[in-house]
Amino acid sequence: ETGVTQTPRHLVMGMTNKKSLKCEQHLGHNAMYWYKQSAKKPLELMFVYNFKEQTENNSVPSRFSPECPNSSHLFLHLHTLQPEDSALYLCASSQDMAGGAYEQYFGPGTRLTVT
Amino acid sequence: QKEVEQNSGPLSVPEGAIASLNCTYSDRGSQSFFWYRQYSGKSPELIMFIYSNGDKEDGRFTAQLNKASQYVSLLIRDSQPSDSATYLCAVNVRGSSNTGKLIFGQGTTLQVKP
């Protein structure tokens, strides 16, 4: 595997379900990100992890719960979602040193549909 | 005021022409600027980054940065139909824990007509 991988690629879930999205980066980076991309809206940053520590939570509802067990893996746990949460969820990784912003590389995304 | 602004387009250019994509940003402290290309149904793909004022060229792509005017642009020379995509401008800002983060514009849709 190379780059940034995400599973599953497509997910349909009911509002009462619990599911998890997985992201893995093979680039040796130390920062990982979750973004949400809805139709006609800019990419929305959700969470940032730097060296496994959460450094940014962009006022995301608690029904989204991130987990970063190590610098290579990132999860997004989903529960009791709403239909408006249907979107493309993108994971990205980068080097991040001393507050600088280095180029981020994206995974293929998970297309989530909440019914 | 949006932090990163782009004209959503669509910008339509004939094949072989130069496509010019523009982006303005509000944070004067931003130091790093990125252009991503996103095809419909795909994830964003990094095509250029620029840190210093002036021009940076990579093949048919040229990124231009003017920090005093707070704008960054992307020129695509000899545009091809395969360049038809949405182009996202991203600018770094300092995050809440001194970690850098990127703010994205809404993207400009480019259509290159054969």
Side-chain angles (χ1 to χ4, degrees), chain B residues 76-90:
Chain B
I76 307 175
R77 290 181 300 281
D78 188 23
S79 296
Q80 301 297 309
S82 58
D83 294 326
S84 298
T86 296
Y87 289 80
L88 306 175
C89 172

Side-chain angles (χ1 to χ4, degrees), chain B residues 4-5 15 36 38 69 74 81 88 93 97-98 102 105 109 112 114:
Chain B
V4 179
E5 291 207 51
E15 184 174 356
Y36 287 82
Q38 187 173 23
S69 300
L74 179 70
L88 306 175
V93 296
S97 300
N98 208 37
L102 295 185
T109 299
V112 181

Side-chain angles (χ1 to χ4, degrees), chain A residues 33 35 37 42-43 45 48 50 55-56 58 88 90 96 98-109 111, chain B residues 32 34 36 38 41-46 49 51 88 92-102 104-106:
Chain A
Y33 311 80
Y35 288 90
Q37 189 173 39
L43 272 171
L45 179 65
V48 180
N50 199 13
T55 56
E56 195 83 22
N58 204 23
L88 180 67
L90 291 159
D96 187 290
Y102 291 79
E103 53 270 29
Q104 294 182 18
Y105 295 90
F106 285 85
R111 174 68 64 185
Chain B
S32 310
F34 306 85
Y36 287 82
Q38 187 173 23
K42 302 294 186 182
S43 63
E45 172 193 10
L46 180 69
F49 58 88
Y51 300 147
L88 306 175
N92 89 295
V93 296
R94 190 64 58 89
S96 56
S97 300
N98 208 37
T99 300
K101 64 177 184 179
L102 295 185
F104 284 80
Q106 67 181 64

Side-chain angles (χ1 to χ4, degrees), chain B residues 53-71:
Chain B
N53 274 330
D55 295 359
K56 178 182 179 182
E57 187 175 318
D58 184 1
R60 294 187 296 113
F61 299 97
T62 299
Q64 299 176 317
L65 174 61
N66 184 324
K67 291 184 181 179
S69 300
Q70 294 175 246
Y71 86 79

Side-chain angles (χ1 to χ4, degrees), chain A residues 17-51:
Chain A
N17 290 159
K18 290 184 180 181
K19 296 287 184 182
S20 296
L21 309 184
K22 178 183 176 182
C23 175
E24 184 173 0
Q25 60 96 359
H26 308 268
L27 300 169
H29 291 160
N30 53 40
M32 297 187 76
Y33 311 80
W34 279 118
Y35 288 90
K36 175 183 178 183
Q37 189 173 39
S38 304
K40 308 293 186 184
K41 294 177 71 175
L43 272 171
E44 300 173 58
L45 179 65
M46 300 175 71
F47 301 104
V48 180
Y49 278 82
N50 199 13
F51 288 102

